[in-house]
Amino acid sequence: MDKIALIVGASGISGNNLAQELLKNNWTTYGITRNSEVKLKGLQNIKADLLDPKSLEEALKNVKPTHVFFTAWMRKETEAENIRVNGEMVRNLLQVLSPKKSVQHVALVTGLKHYLGPFEAYTQEGFLPETPVREEHPRLKLDNFYYAQEDEIFAAAKRDGFTWSVHRSHTIIGHAIGNLMNMGTTLAVYASICKENGIPFIWPGSAAQWNGISDVTDAQILAKHFLWAATTPEAANQAFNVVNGDIFRWSWLWKQLAEYFGIEYQGYVENNNSLEEIMKDDEVIWKKIADKHRLVESDLKRLTSPWHTDLDLGRPIEVMTDMSKSRKLGFTEYQDTRDSFFDLFDKLKDENIIPS
């Protein structure tokens, strides 16, 4: 039977890499976004508002996906609003698709906030998990829009009979412009500003993160994990952690990133500034850098998300992710994290997003 994928959020880091992976494997692939046109050969673009069922019905009237992949979310001011809006997005799409009776599998990407808490209570004392985090850890007794998204999928699966998978990634490293959680590009832009100004690449995070063990998720590894779970019967109806498969300390990797850009670096110091504080006045200098090097994007806010990088680098504990569950079921893909960053930086240079 033909495999027909519908990717929610095809313009983002996760969705775009997934689209490339599915197309490479000869899937018919649709990408749904609110208003973006994703320039990817073979991808069929759909524009619709997931908060408007009528908009979805019209956009999807001729589409009968066998597989749905949720890679998008919307951030609001409070977690209560995050829950309402993101839960509604999932619910609306699956309700619109329900009468078609075509959906066989639904996949959702979430993240380690499943274990560390939502934005409003992130790594709050009293809720810190034992690490490495494992899938069997119970939900925290906190409101969390990840849980709401999961529950919508579980309810629809019970109603419509499809299988599901949840993919809990660590920080995703990959290429996308205008993404809300984009550490790789944020650090590339920050390092480029440091180089232009002749100042050191200053670590903005905690001592625990600087000295502790960590891992990340390459967007291409996540894409392969999506495909694996969607086509492996033993993986049905389960949640999985997904990371690169290696571990590192930021005290080592930060030096590697600085050396890539040919700049000095400064490690952890007590009472250091956050990256959001460090970059708060950098819009003007980035505009000058963009003009000088004829870069394609001069709007700093479209490239960087220092607030989210601060969440990751400022954690009071080291955080690493156990992948045993996927490994036991046959997922063996691996990615060197240093290469994840360097490959991204090379691509950003090739596309004239940061200076060469």
Side-chain angles (χ1 to χ4, degrees):
M1 182 178 293
D2 290 340
K3 293 182 173 65
I4 303 170
L6 176 63
I7 302 173
V8 180
S11 61
I13 294 176
S14 304
N16 191 268
N17 279 270
L18 174 59
Q20 293 178 54
E21 183 70 19
L22 293 174
L23 289 167
K24 186 170 67 177
N25 283 273
N26 300 314
W27 285 48
T28 300
T29 307
Y30 294 88
I32 186 168
T33 61
R34 191 163 40 180
N35 47 35
S36 299
E37 188 74 22
V38 183
K39 296 178 181 179
L40 186 60
K41 185 178 179 180
L43 180 68
Q44 300 180 57
N45 283 280
I46 297 172
K47 295 180 183 178
D49 182 356
L50 270 75
L51 295 175
D52 181 352
K54 289 185 178 179
S55 168
L56 281 171
E57 287 176 1
E58 178 63 25
L60 296 171
K61 63 182 179 181
N62 297 318
V63 181
K64 293 184 176 181
T66 59
H67 293 70
V68 178
F69 300 90
F70 281 94
T71 70
W73 65 286
M74 190 178 296
R75 189 185 183 196
K76 294 296 183 179
E77 290 297 318
T78 67
E79 194 61 19
E81 276 294 287
N82 285 335
I83 289 169
R84 183 186 68 78
V85 169
N86 289 283
E88 186 177 342
M89 288 165 59
V90 175
R91 182 169 61 255
N92 285 347
L93 180 61
L94 296 181
Q95 283 181 342
V96 167
L97 293 176
S98 182
K100 299 175 185 284
K101 301 187 183 303
S102 64
V103 177
Q104 301 169 18
H105 184 82
V106 174
L108 169 71
V109 61
T110 61
L112 297 198
K113 283 186 286 296
H114 184 95
Y115 308 110
L116 300 172
F119 292 116
E120 291 178 358
Y122 191 66
T123 62
Q124 204 172 76
E125 190 173 348
F127 294 102
L128 297 179
E130 181 181 17
T131 60
V133 292
R134 294 178 170 85
E135 294 91 342
E136 64 263 28
H137 287 184
R139 288 182 176 184
L140 300 176
K141 294 179 180 179
L142 295 167
D143 291 337
N144 191 321
F145 81 85
Y146 286 169
Y147 305 162
Q149 289 179 305
E150 288 184 349
D151 288 344
E152 292 292 347
I153 290 175
F154 300 160
K158 185 176 181 180
R159 178 190 68 211
D160 297 334
F162 57 74
T163 61
W164 56 266
S165 58
V166 175
H167 305 256
R168 297 173 186 159
S169 67
H170 201 158
T171 304
I172 299 173
I173 306 302
H175 180 33
I177 302 301
N179 191 269
L180 288 175
M181 301 188 292
N182 198 342
M183 178 190 280
T185 302
T186 296
L187 293 181
V189 170
Y190 171 43
S192 298
I193 292 172
C194 290
K195 186 170 185 176
E196 185 74 18
N197 288 339
I199 58 176
F201 188 53
I202 298 172
W203 170 256
S206 68
Q209 281 292 296
W210 177 256
N211 295 311
I213 294 173
S214 192
D215 50 28
V216 298
T217 306
D218 190 292
Q220 295 177 53
I221 289 289
L222 176 58
K224 293 178 184 299
H225 199 254
F226 268 129
L227 180 58
W228 165 77
T231 56
T232 301
E234 295 80 8
N237 303 327
Q238 297 189 64
F240 298 97
N241 294 331
V242 51
V243 287
N244 283 356
D246 65 350
I247 56 174
F248 65 89
R249 297 184 195 276
W250 277 107
S251 57
W252 169 81
L253 185 58
W254 199 253
K255 179 182 177 182
Q256 307 297 312
L257 304 186
E259 288 180 350
Y260 175 95
F261 286 95
I263 55 180
E264 298 296 319
Y265 76 95
Q266 176 183 298
Y268 171 77
V269 295
E270 196 171 353
N271 298 319
N272 56 355
N273 288 330
S274 68
L275 189 58
E276 194 165 25
E277 292 169 331
I278 291 171
M279 297 185 71
K280 66 179 180 180
D281 298 320
D282 281 347
E283 289 185 39
V284 173
I285 183 63
W286 183 252
K287 179 68 166 60
K288 290 180 180 177
I289 292 172
D291 291 344
K292 176 181 176 180
H293 296 276
R294 298 182 180 179
L295 304 180
V296 298
E297 182 55 73
S298 61
D299 185 350
L300 186 66
K301 290 181 179 178
R302 276 186 48 78
L303 292 176
T304 63
S305 52
W307 66 274
H308 189 265
T309 298
D310 283 332
L311 286 179
D312 285 348
L313 301 185
R315 295 167 181 155
I317 57 170
E318 65 177 13
V319 180
M320 72 214 76
T321 313
D322 185 81
M323 277 280 287
S324 298
K325 188 175 180 182
S326 292
R327 300 296 187 223
K328 289 177 180 178
L329 291 176
F331 183 78
T332 58
E333 297 287 347
Y334 167 89
Q335 169 69 26
D336 183 287
T337 290
R338 178 166 51 182
D339 290 344
S340 291
F341 279 96
F342 289 1
D343 290 349
L344 171 62
F345 298 163
D346 289 346
K347 187 169 186 177
L348 293 174
K349 287 182 176 181
D350 290 343
E351 295 187 2
N352 206 32
I353 294 169
I354 63 173
S356 298

